Amino acid sequence: MDPKEFSGTTDPMIAEGWIKSIEVIFAFMELQDADRVRCATFLLTGEARLWWESASVLTGEFMTLRQRDNSVAEFVRKFERGCHFVPLIDNDAWEKLRHFIDGLRSILRRDARVASPTTYAVAVSRVLAAEQDQREIESDRQGKRPYQAP
């Protein structure tokens, strides 16, 4: 059936067109959801493949991206790029906030939940500050307090 590979894009219309083209094939083949996911991931290349590999859990209709060893800034970039492919998260402020917090490393996730942010932008700001605090705590533990101008 000659399915096309997908290397990623920031244009949601192109991504949606690719999805629709492979859905036609999947419907013809009468594939179940799990098989559809496996077949679709086989067709991902380039940035789309990297994005998929950084995603760890498929929960219902949503992909939860995990921070792992990325800095908060890098995680935010990946998360925002990934949201382009999941409009149900991108277009729902509460879902976007929830998925962002759920994807953070445990210590930052705890800090974000304690702060009780009401928007995604506030959560990003607070988590960036929490990450900086973590760096300073680690530096203090090592006896290397960073120099701060008076």
Side-chain angles (χ1 to χ4, degrees), residues 114-146:
V114 167
S116 299
T118 55
T119 67
Y120 170 71
V122 169
V124 169
S125 175
R126 291 189 178 160
V127 172
L128 285 166
E131 181 181 52
Q132 181 60 38
D133 291 347
Q134 285 299 106
R135 282 192 206 118
E136 290 176 11
I137 289 167
E138 186 59 34
S139 181
D140 284 348
R141 284 186 184 147
Q142 295 175 2
K144 301 176 186 172
R145 183 79 177 146

Side-chain angles (χ1 to χ4, degrees), residues 10 15 19 36-37 41 55 96 106 108 138:
T10 57
I19 290 169
R36 289 175 183 230
V37 170
T41 58
K96 188 170 186 175
S106 60
L108 294 175
E138 186 59 34

Side-chain angles (χ1 to χ4, degrees), residues 5-40:
E5 291 182 340
F6 183 72
S7 62
T9 180
T10 57
D11 183 341
M13 297 304 291
I14 293 173
E16 185 69 22
W18 177 77
I19 290 169
K20 288 190 182 307
S21 73
I22 63 168
E23 283 178 343
V24 169
I25 296 169
F26 295 162
F28 176 77
M29 295 173 65
E30 298 179 354
L31 295 178
Q32 299 300 313
D33 287 345
D35 293 327
R36 289 175 183 230
V37 170
R38 281 193 287 279
C39 288

Side-chain angles (χ1 to χ4, degrees), residues 67-111:
Q67 181 184 9
R68 294 196 175 92
D69 294 330
N70 296 318
S71 69
V72 171
E74 180 62 26
F75 177 61
V76 167
R77 279 191 291 278
K78 287 184 178 183
F79 181 80
E80 289 179 354
R81 221 177 356 180
C83 282
H84 288 292
F85 297 103
V86 189
L88 292 172
I89 293 174
D90 202 32
N91 297 330
D92 184 322
W94 186 86
E95 284 294 334
K96 188 170 186 175
L97 173 62
R98 184 176 70 83
H99 281 271
F100 174 72
I101 290 173
D102 286 350
L104 294 168
R105 286 193 308 268
S106 60
I107 195 160
L108 294 175
R109 185 172 51 248
R110 180 203 63 197
D111 290 349

